[in-house]
Amino acid sequence: MGHTVPVATPKAPSKQSVLNLWDFLVKGGIADLTRTPSEVIDTGRTRELHRYDKAKGVRGKGIPVLLVPPLGSQAKCFDLRQGLSLAQAFVDRGRPTYLVDYGPLKGEDRLVGIEHFVNDVLPPAIRKVSEDAGGKDVHLVGWCMGGLLSLGTTAVHRDLPVRSVAMVASPFDLSKQPLLRPVQVASKLTRGKVVGSALKAAGSVPAPVVSIGFKATALPTYLKKPRTLWNKREDREFLGQVQAVDHIMNNMLAYPGRATLQVYQRLALRNELATGRIQGPNHLIDLATVTVPVMNVAGKTDVLVPAAAAHHVGELLTSSPDVRLPLAPGGHLGVLTGTKAPETTWVHLHEFLEAHDRKRK
């Protein structure tokens, strides 16, 4: 006689998992996306400067930090959700914290280039932060392109009261980015005319296209998302994080056309930034002239900016007194504000800023 093979009875979902999925899929979400309280203290073209409210009962310490987001991404990347906000983490430690927000680009703003942010957005924001903080120097903290803008501004405008530049997942050698190789090959065959002409005709990269581009860098994750959500249905914290990340990815902002063309032609195709020198319309950006401390934290699983692409900056900063190149868990966004970031990337940031709160003699 044959043996009967027992058939496993599928386990019924627990009450907690049902509640989690109901809140996640039907009731509008689990994460608390309330912004950390702040006040707008200055405005200008594509510039809204926020000062975060001080934490009650916390003694202020340290010099101010200005958070610098990349183009095309919500400034909310530094304030992802309650319980996982880098801005709130700085505030809770008593550090005066500010944020520059470019806002949605409108009209002629869609045509601005990188030089607009290096010359006309960050310098007045840095000076205003310094003035508001009683004349103190300012630490800059930028994610991805925000880091490049911060370092470029520091290199060009050496009179600015910048104490240090801390970057997270900022790219400097795009020859180390395998995803760009097909684009570079296609560009050589067409002499870059196809993409370049399309960008010039469009004027800007629409927000939905920017969102798709960011998601494409993590395509395997998105393809596995339904199964992952089901497997993690008991984990309310995980579901909340997924919701918060989706909110950022689904609400990207339009990318200015001229800036996109510059990034495509000069960074992606010609890889000029890897030399440490880029001639802009008005100024030469020479990273060898940067004399402030610099850090660039790379993500271990970042497919958009691999560690080698990020850490190449260490070879370019020949005049910086302190260059730190840590490696931390997470992908491109996760290394900045993933669930492991408070114990890894944020620790690196806190230690770096605190080490340079006092001016070098």
Side-chain angles (χ1 to χ4, degrees):
M1 294 182 63
H3 295 285
T4 302
V5 178
V7 178
T9 303
K11 184 179 178 181
S14 69
K15 289 183 179 180
Q16 183 61 52
S17 65
V18 171
L19 176 63
N20 288 347
L21 291 174
W22 175 264
D23 288 344
F24 183 85
L25 298 171
V26 180
K27 291 191 67 177
I30 290 173
D32 182 354
L33 302 180
T34 305
R35 300 295 294 268
T36 299
S38 67
E39 174 186 2
V40 176
I41 62 170
D42 190 42
T43 59
R45 185 183 180 190
T46 69
R47 183 182 78 250
E48 191 173 77
L49 184 62
H50 293 251
R51 178 182 60 214
Y52 286 100
D53 296 352
K54 296 179 180 179
K56 294 181 180 178
V58 177
R59 182 175 63 88
K61 60 179 180 178
I63 67 174
V65 60
L66 174 62
L67 303 176
V68 183
L71 306 180
S73 174
Q74 287 195 2
K76 193 175 173 66
C77 61
F78 295 111
D79 193 21
L80 187 68
R81 62 183 173 92
Q82 290 298 300
L84 198 59
S85 163
L86 178 58
Q88 187 67 61
F90 282 131
V91 170
D92 289 344
R93 295 171 76 93
R95 184 175 295 280
T97 306
Y98 299 78
L99 166 78
V100 60
D101 189 346
Y102 316 126
L105 300 180
K106 300 176 182 178
E108 290 298 311
D109 294 340
R110 296 175 182 271
L111 304 178
V112 298
I114 298 297
E115 66 277 3
H116 166 70
F117 298 92
V118 169
N119 296 322
D120 302 319
V121 174
L122 288 189
I126 293 167
R127 292 191 181 100
K128 182 62 179 180
V129 169
S130 177
E131 174 192 326
D132 189 69
K136 295 178 180 178
D137 284 350
V138 181
H139 292 302
L140 303 182
V141 173
W143 173 51
C144 189
M145 178 63 73
L148 301 186
L149 295 176
S150 299
L151 195 59
T153 299
T154 303
V156 170
H157 303 281
R158 300 173 206 170
D159 60 328
L160 287 172
V162 173
R163 180 66 62 84
S164 75
V165 178
M167 302 174 287
V168 178
S170 295
F172 287 88
D173 183 0
L174 291 178
S175 70
K176 307 282 188 355
Q177 169 48 279
L179 295 176
L180 281 178
R181 286 171 190 159
V183 177
Q184 292 164 341
V185 170
S187 176
K188 287 182 179 179
L189 295 175
T190 64
R191 296 183 181 179
K193 293 182 179 179
V194 175
V195 175
S197 299
L199 289 172
K200 289 178 182 178
S204 66
V205 180
V209 176
V210 176
S211 294
I212 291 172
F214 267 84
K215 290 177 180 178
T217 65
L219 188 58
T221 299
Y222 275 88
L223 292 176
K224 293 186 293 185
K225 184 177 176 181
R227 178 185 295 178
T228 302
L229 291 178
W230 177 253
N231 291 338
K232 294 280 192 177
R233 62 190 183 276
E234 299 274 358
D235 191 339
R236 194 171 181 84
E237 178 73 8
F238 175 85
L239 295 177
Q241 179 71 0
V242 170
Q243 177 204 340
V245 170
D246 280 351
H247 180 74
I248 287 232
M249 291 297 185
N250 293 331
N251 291 277
M252 290 289 180
L253 304 177
Y255 213 100
R258 177 174 167 78
T260 305
L261 193 60
Q262 290 169 327
V263 171
Y264 169 67
Q265 292 180 335
R266 308 194 65 174
L267 272 62
L269 299 186
R270 300 204 290 266
N271 199 26
E272 290 182 26
L273 193 56
T275 69
R277 293 166 60 92
I278 294 185
Q279 178 62 56
N282 306 308
H283 301 282
L284 170 68
I285 295 178
D286 185 355
L287 299 187
T289 65
V290 173
T291 57
V292 302
V294 178
M295 180 172 72
N296 194 9
V297 185
K300 291 181 180 178
T301 54
D302 189 345
V303 297
L304 188 61
V305 182
H311 286 171
H312 177 71
V313 70
E315 301 177 23
L316 310 175
L317 297 166
T318 54
S319 300
S320 172
D322 182 14
V323 179
R324 304 187 187 188
L325 304 171
L327 191 63
H332 195 58
L333 178 59
V335 68
L336 173 73
T337 190
T339 54
K340 295 180 180 178
E343 288 77 42
T344 55
T345 300
W346 297 6
V347 171
H348 290 304
L349 289 172
H350 293 316
E351 291 178 346
F352 179 72
L353 301 190
E354 289 168 7
H356 297 292
D357 274 337
R358 291 190 177 184
K359 198 166 188 176
R360 291 180 293 122
K361 295 181 180 180

